[in-house]
Amino acid sequence: MVTLVPPAATDSPAGSKPTVTEPEKVDYFNLPCPIPYEEIHREALMSLKPELFEGMRFDFTRGLNQRFSLSHSVFMGPTELPTQSTDVVKIPAAHYEFGANFIDPKMMLFGRVMTDGRVNARLRCELSENLAMKANGQLTGEPHMSHGMVNFDYKGKDYRTQFQLGNGALFGASYIQSVTPHLSLGGEVFWAGQHRKSGIGYAARYNTDKMVATGQVASTGMVALGYVQKVSDKVSLASDFMYNYMSRDVTASVGYDYILRQCRLRGKIDSNGCAAAFLEERLNMGLNFILSAEIDHKKKDYKFGFGLTVGE
């Protein structure tokens, strides 16, 4: 008869203690620097608000040297006219745009001249290691439509602060602080002297390697919530919620961002019945093909555009 032998006991050695995983300690004196206050929703905006257009677009950029380049843009397509009714009124339009770009490690300067008489300029200058200045302006022949703004951005060890000055006696300031390695809180104030209006706002941002959640509220009535989930290195899903408690307008949308080896596809659908998609296909080095489509079922407005981008 076979004798059954019980398994040997696997008791831990005398005096040994079970392994206990200690929680990760947070060094609150070495927190990361947050992103600027005005960019807390940038991941959601990247997926949900691509540069949609209607008609045909052609962009050509030619580099003259390592820092200076020229650009030419041609657009042909309908332009919407503002109306009092819900009907969409479009007229055919076309314009040409000439641009000059200067890119340096400490300065970037972009200028655009359009056939309708508008002149646009943007500047970014690194004044020091922590202080940067951004400026943009537009000149046009239409009365009261020219504008300009200067923005100073100071980057601290674990905080950022910005000051804005604009025409029409516009003053603004914002501050955002890292509270933990993943959470940052901030606020902003502004004063528009020409319109005698002021406001204050608050924002929060929580981000990890896999997700980004943001929230923002302002005294102007705006409430904005956003969430982005990184499914993989190539796929991201995004959603946002916009509410104005003064006008009672509510909009919610969901979207996606899919990056392939040769193309990038973005799309979204919102609660107003509007669906959109934007495709950027890399045909060759310095040659990109663009497709844009948007359907607004509520307004019965359908938009389709295609374009070609030549040059880096």
Side-chain angles (χ1 to χ4, degrees):
M1 184 176 181
V2 180
T3 305
L4 299 177
V5 180
T10 58
D11 295 337
S12 59
S16 64
K17 298 181 180 179
T19 304
V20 179
T21 303
E22 297 183 358
E24 183 181 355
K25 294 183 179 180
V26 178
D27 185 4
Y28 290 99
F29 293 97
N30 193 23
L31 296 176
C33 182
I35 66 174
Y37 185 91
E38 59 184 8
E39 298 180 11
I40 60 172
H41 301 291
R42 66 182 182 186
E43 289 85 1
L45 294 177
M46 187 69 67
S47 301
L48 300 174
K49 298 187 183 299
E51 297 181 4
L52 301 173
F53 64 96
E54 184 179 11
M56 187 278 291
R57 197 176 85 185
F58 177 76
D59 301 312
F60 174 73
T61 302
R62 180 185 179 185
L64 302 181
N65 53 46
Q66 294 182 350
R67 299 181 179 180
F68 192 72
S69 63
L70 299 178
S71 64
H72 307 268
S73 300
V74 177
F75 171 79
M76 291 184 291
T79 301
E80 293 187 15
L81 295 179
T83 59
Q84 299 294 334
S85 63
T86 58
D87 297 334
V88 179
V89 179
K90 301 180 181 181
I91 59 173
H95 70 260
Y96 164 76
E97 179 181 296
F98 172 77
N101 312 311
F102 178 81
I103 300 178
D104 187 76
K106 291 187 175 296
M107 178 181 293
M108 292 186 293
L109 180 62
F110 305 94
R112 298 290 184 270
V113 179
M114 304 181 188
T115 52
D116 58 4
R118 287 179 296 167
V119 179
N120 297 329
R122 289 187 295 129
L123 168 69
R124 177 179 175 84
C125 180
E126 301 287 343
L127 301 178
S128 67
E129 185 178 354
N130 297 329
L131 181 62
M133 181 188 70
K134 294 185 293 184
N136 65 79
Q138 175 177 278
L139 298 178
T140 179
E142 301 179 15
H144 310 294
M145 294 301 294
S146 299
H147 63 84
M149 180 174 291
V150 180
N151 189 326
F152 294 93
D153 183 4
Y154 183 81
K155 179 181 178 182
K157 183 179 180 181
D158 56 1
Y159 69 91
R160 275 181 183 264
T161 182
Q162 291 181 319
F163 297 94
Q164 296 178 349
L165 302 174
N167 65 319
L170 176 63
F171 301 94
S174 63
Y175 179 87
I176 186 167
Q177 170 76 54
S178 291
V179 181
T180 70
H182 303 291
L183 177 64
S184 55
L185 304 175
E188 66 171 346
V189 294
F190 71 88
W191 163 254
Q194 183 175 359
H195 302 285
R196 301 293 180 179
K197 292 184 179 180
S198 62
I200 186 171
Y202 305 95
R205 174 185 168 95
Y206 185 86
N207 64 286
T208 64
D209 295 336
K210 293 293 184 181
M211 55 81 67
V212 177
T214 58
Q216 188 176 9
V217 61
S219 60
T220 56
M222 184 268 296
V223 177
L225 302 175
Y227 181 81
V228 177
Q229 179 69 43
K230 190 174 182 181
V231 180
S232 65
D233 294 337
K234 298 181 179 180
V235 181
S236 298
L237 302 177
S239 64
D240 71 347
F241 176 82
M242 305 290 293
Y243 173 62
N244 191 310
Y245 57 80
M246 291 185 178
S247 61
R248 304 299 181 183
D249 294 332
V250 182
T251 303
S253 59
V254 294
Y256 59 89
D257 190 348
Y258 196 4
I259 301 177
L260 298 172
R261 188 170 62 91
Q262 290 290 112
C263 76
R264 181 177 186 179
L265 179 62
R266 288 174 283 176
K268 63 113 178 182
I269 184 170
D270 61 28
S271 58
N272 293 326
C274 182
F278 190 80
L279 172 67
E280 297 172 277
E281 176 76 23
R282 188 183 184 91
L283 303 178
N284 205 339
M285 181 67 68
L287 182 61
N288 296 332
F289 179 66
I290 303 173
L291 284 177
S292 174
E294 184 179 13
I295 300 176
D296 193 332
H297 296 282
K298 186 176 181 180
K299 297 181 180 180
K300 296 183 179 179
D301 184 21
Y302 310 101
K303 300 177 182 179
F304 176 76
F306 66 96
L308 200 64
T309 302
V310 181
E312 297 293 341

